[in-house]
Amino acid sequence: MANVGWLDLALAGAMALTAAHHLGRPLAARLSGRPCELDVNLAHAAMGAAMAAMLLGPPAREPGWAVAMAIPTLWFLCRGVHAYVLHGRAAAAHPLREALLCAAMLYMLAAHGPHAVMAMPGMTTPQGPTNLAAVPALTVLFVLALAAVAVRSVPAAGRAHRAGTSVAPAATAGCQLAMIGASGYMLALML
């Protein structure tokens, strides 16, 4: 955890809280009788944990982190295509947003996997810092796409709160915005 700055620590703490929130949501939903997407919550918990780990030190060298993001990325892509085929474009928006969030995390992990390390303080290999897999144009596209998701998240949380259809919609929206902000920060460091 050498050279981890205060912002990295704060964001890592926020990501750990995000992971905990999304792990607790399914139980809270079950107890309150409200709907809760288990797949979304598990994906967000995994992303929060992975981002906290990346912010505190070098990414794990095991392929498990990448697999943990590749599976939900493919899952939400399939859900989006299925929803589009059956119900049209509007129904596909939510799963495709989730696929985007997972894909951004997968990109960060791939760009900083065993052969490349994120250009953050303290994240170096014995040979020095590397950033071999990051593609600046793709990084910028992910940042812009995440910003668009963030803009759409706040009104969606307001609708869920008014309808009473979600467990802790304000906290969930806050967690999603924190996750998007942390992702944007980590992606910006790749440029």
Side-chain angles (χ1 to χ4, degrees), residues 5-185:
W6 67 269
L7 183 57
D8 297 330
L9 286 173
L11 288 173
M15 293 305 93
L17 289 174
T18 295
H21 170 77
H22 284 287
L23 283 175
R25 263 186 107 221
L27 177 61
R30 185 164 177 87
L31 293 174
S32 68
R34 291 187 174 161
C36 183
E37 295 175 296
L38 182 62
D39 55 354
V40 171
N41 285 291
L42 292 177
H44 286 206
M47 284 188 278
M51 284 195 290
M54 288 176 74
L55 285 160
L56 293 176
R61 298 291 186 229
E62 298 88 28
W65 284 109
V67 170
M69 287 300 103
I71 290 171
T73 300
L74 292 174
W75 170 256
F76 289 119
L77 280 173
C78 289
R79 268 189 62 193
V81 169
H82 183 258
Y84 179 79
V85 168
L86 292 180
H87 306 291
R89 192 173 74 179
H94 173 63
L96 292 178
R97 276 193 306 271
E98 295 301 326
L100 172 69
L101 293 172
C102 293
M105 189 66 210
L106 181 60
Y107 172 71
M108 285 188 283
L109 288 165
H112 305 103
H115 304 293
V117 175
M118 196 145 122
M120 292 178 67
M123 291 188 159
T124 59
T125 65
Q127 297 80 26
T130 61
N131 201 2
L132 303 175
V135 178
L138 187 56
T139 303
V140 170
L141 285 175
F142 271 119
V143 169
L144 293 174
L146 290 174
V149 169
V151 168
R152 294 185 59 102
S153 294
V154 175
R159 286 190 299 274
H161 180 68
R162 286 189 298 280
T165 59
S166 181
V167 176
T172 301
C175 286
Q176 187 167 12
L177 290 174
M179 193 177 324
I180 291 169
S183 294
Y185 167 72

